[in-house]
Amino acid sequence: MNILILGSGGREHTFAWKIAQSKTCKSLFVAPGNSGTAEVATNVNIGVNDFPAIKQLVLDKAVDLVVVGPEDPLVNGIHDFFLNDEALKHVAVIGPQKAAAELEGSKEFAKEFLYRHNIPTAAYESFTKATVEQGYAFLETLTAPYVLKADGLAAGKGVVILNDIDEAKAELKSMLVDSKFGSASTKVVIEEFLDGIELSCFVLTDGTNYKVLPTAKDYKRIGEGDTGLNTGGMGAVSPVPFATDAFLEKIEQRIVKPTVEGLKKDNLPYVGFIFIGLIKVGDDPKVIEYNVRMGDPETEVVFPRLKNDLVDVLQAMANGTLDKIDIAIDSRAATTIMLVSGGYPEAYEKGKVITGIETIEDSIPFHAGAQLEDGKVVTSGGRVMSITSYGETYQEAIKKSYQSIAKLQFDKMYYRKDIGFDL
Ligand code: AMP
Ligand code: GLY
């Protein structure tokens, strides 16, 4: 079959790397892709939100299956766009329809879903410009730290955690009254602070059946020791060593099962990935957020551990036969370390030539913000390349990634040297 992947990051290179190994995949396209996807697929320079151009590509290339990488096109309704078009409705789309994508598109929608289905999560209330005074009063009833979340998509910047009540009130005003995050902060969710260690759980569903993929932990802060600004993710480890079988069983029974059943009860069709951000409070998992896609860089450690032919799995998701699939996982650990442009997540330069990629033998270099220019691989984004390795233990895998990184070079390259430090 012919397959199209939408996106251009390390996640999409990992999808392409895995799908290219499938016996069922005939032609593989990535839009817009990067220098890594160009090695295993055909890149097509179309943006992920340009639905008419995507339609033309799907028809021209007789694409049978579309795998949506990032959340934006899902929240914008790409799956609905396919279902509502006579010429496209036979094409399978991996990723939920717009209604269910609101689990990521609106924090309030997600909280209401969690409450409705009795899934453990932080207590909350939501506020608008008209109820900002009630918001201040609600903050008074909480103890620090204060968690404020812009309701809509805010490029990963919409969550603010503050220790001081006056700063929290000022932030609430800035979001609701001064539109700090534009329309994304028309509503703000104020949440109870949960103290614990975070991990992520990944679920595949066809809307009825589900399969749980290995857990992963990512490292979001730019600085060592989890300090400094938030990023898209600086590295990841799978499996998560503290996620024991007993803890995983709690996640499945208390969170995964009621989530999939809740989607069904609420009549929210869902074919795709559910990425559940969790926090371990004492011995109990609680939901911090839902994402309606795979994580990046978590995909770069989860998919290399999946032994199945990925296209078989994706087809089963699309056909509603996921119950017929046995997921097989490599017992080895996988880790990935992200190389970023100096300055990221603030201003950084682009167009730096990356050298040494071809000398890497013990790791898989997944390209992210990197593209081909005159036959050379050059940086084109903040997160540039994610170096994944396997090991009998996560420590061994991390060591291999650092050894491989020593062979790579670009001007102002930066990476965290402490991935896994807290495990
Ligand atoms: P989110 O965008 O919802 O994943 O939030 C971003 C980050 O904020 C999470 O990864 C957590 O580190 C932190 N966070 C979000 N909600 C809470 C909460 N209720 N308690 C503690 N930390 C939180
Ligand atoms: N690494 C976190 C995310 O993909 O949202």
Side-chain angles (χ1 to χ4, degrees):
M1 65 181 352
N2 299 332
I3 299 172
L4 168 65
I5 300 168
L6 297 180
S8 61
R11 168 182 50 213
E12 288 76 20
H13 184 192
T14 313
F15 285 166
W17 167 84
K18 185 77 184 148
I19 289 173
Q21 298 167 34
S22 167
K23 59 182 187 325
T24 322
C25 179
K26 202 167 110 217
S27 299
L28 179 60
F29 303 93
V30 187
N34 62 29
S35 46
T37 61
E39 288 171 10
V40 289
T42 304
N43 285 349
V44 186
N45 194 11
I46 292 175
V48 297
N49 288 305
D50 189 347
F51 296 176
I54 292 168
K55 172 178 175 176
Q56 203 52 51
L57 176 67
V58 164
L59 297 178
D60 288 349
K61 304 295 181 188
V63 167
D64 307 287
L65 176 77
V66 179
V67 185
V68 185
E71 64 277 15
D72 261 40
L74 294 168
V75 173
N76 291 338
I78 190 157
H79 196 151
D80 312 66
F81 175 82
F82 272 68
L83 288 173
N84 293 330
D85 190 306
E86 276 306 314
L88 293 178
K89 66 181 192 194
H90 67 282
V91 178
V93 178
I94 303 296
Q97 285 154 247
K98 191 179 167 79
E102 282 297 287
L103 283 179
E104 179 162 0
S106 163
K107 301 275 185 201
E108 187 187 47
F109 181 89
K111 294 302 285 193
E112 286 172 351
F113 179 91
L114 288 160
Y115 264 66
R116 189 159 57 245
H117 301 293
N118 289 313
I119 301 169
T121 188
Y124 81 104
E125 280 194 35
S126 59
F127 301 93
T128 61
K129 192 172 170 178
T131 57
V132 66
E133 294 293 333
Q134 283 102 303
Y136 299 150
F138 183 63
L139 283 169
E140 294 280 0
T141 69
L142 302 174
T143 48
Y146 306 95
V147 183
L148 279 68
K149 301 186 171 184
D151 179 59
L153 291 182
K157 298 195 170 71
V159 177
V160 182
I161 300 181
L162 294 164
N163 278 310
D164 182 86
I165 181 91
D166 294 320
E167 282 180 27
K169 288 180 183 172
E171 180 66 29
L172 183 65
K173 174 174 180 287
S174 158
M175 286 191 188
L176 288 176
V177 182
D178 310 327
S179 308
K180 178 174 177 185
F181 296 107
S183 61
S185 62
T186 308
K187 269 187 206 155
V188 172
V189 168
I190 302 180
E191 223 176 75
E192 162 200 14
F193 180 81
L194 299 175
D195 198 6
I197 185 160
E198 286 176 53
L199 72 157
S200 302
C201 164
F202 297 92
V203 179
L204 312 171
T205 186
D206 59 16
T208 303
N209 309 291
Y210 68 84
K211 297 285 170 179
V212 183
L213 292 174
T215 53
K217 184 177 192 311
D218 82 338
Y219 291 81
K220 288 202 174 86
R221 303 295 195 94
I222 188 73
E224 274 146 32
D226 285 341
T227 55
L229 293 174
N230 256 320
T231 71
M234 297 295 291
V237 175
S238 177
V240 179
F242 62 81
T244 59
D245 286 347
F247 187 66
L248 292 175
E249 183 63 19
K250 286 184 191 170
I251 295 176
E252 179 161 357
Q253 294 308 326
R254 297 179 191 175
I255 293 169
V256 175
K257 233 167 158 251
T259 296
V260 175
E261 286 170 2
L263 288 167
K264 197 144 186 125
K265 277 186 203 148
D266 291 352
N267 200 14
L268 295 169
Y270 201 120
V271 170
F273 306 104
I274 315 174
F275 162 0
I276 312 179
L278 298 169
I279 189 156
K280 181 172 178 275
V281 183
D283 263 331
D284 295 315
K286 294 195 180 200
V287 176
I288 290 217
E289 63 167 348
Y290 285 114
N291 297 296
V292 296
R293 54 177 171 84
M294 283 298 295
D296 193 352
E298 292 92 331
T299 304
E300 289 93 305
V301 292
V302 171
F303 276 32
R305 298 187 60 221
L306 179 69
K307 289 183 168 176
N308 300 67
D309 181 319
L310 181 55
V311 179
D312 290 347
V313 177
L314 297 173
Q315 279 185 293
M317 287 161 73
N319 297 336
T321 54
L322 204 48
D323 54 325
K324 305 283 191 302
I325 295 274
D326 287 318
I327 296 290
I329 300 299
D330 194 321
S331 62
R332 289 176 297 172
T335 62
T336 199
I337 293 161
M338 190 66 77
L339 307 180
V340 306
S341 302
Y344 171 82
E346 296 182 283
Y348 56 84
E349 293 165 24
K350 298 181 189 176
K352 310 289 185 189
V353 176
I354 308 166
T355 58
I357 302 168
E358 66 294 339
T359 66
I360 292 185
E361 284 166 359
D362 294 335
S363 305
I364 313 166
F366 288 118
H367 298 211
Q371 64 189 33
L372 283 174
E373 250 178 53
D374 303 326
K376 292 193 179 105
V377 180
V378 304
T379 66
S380 61
R383 295 195 297 168
V384 171
M385 196 169 276
S386 201
I387 311 303
T388 294
S389 311
Y390 295 101
E392 290 311 319
T393 60
Y394 76 86
Q395 291 94 333
E396 188 190 313
I398 287 173
K399 203 168 142 202
K400 274 198 211 164
S401 284
Y402 284 122
Q403 283 165 352
S404 296
I405 289 171
K407 301 177 176 173
L408 289 166
Q409 188 68 51
F410 60 86
D411 185 32
K412 301 195 176 74
M413 176 172 111
Y414 170 80
Y415 57 94
R416 272 180 64 169
K417 296 173 189 65
D418 69 340
I419 297 303
F421 80 99
D422 56 340
L423 298 175

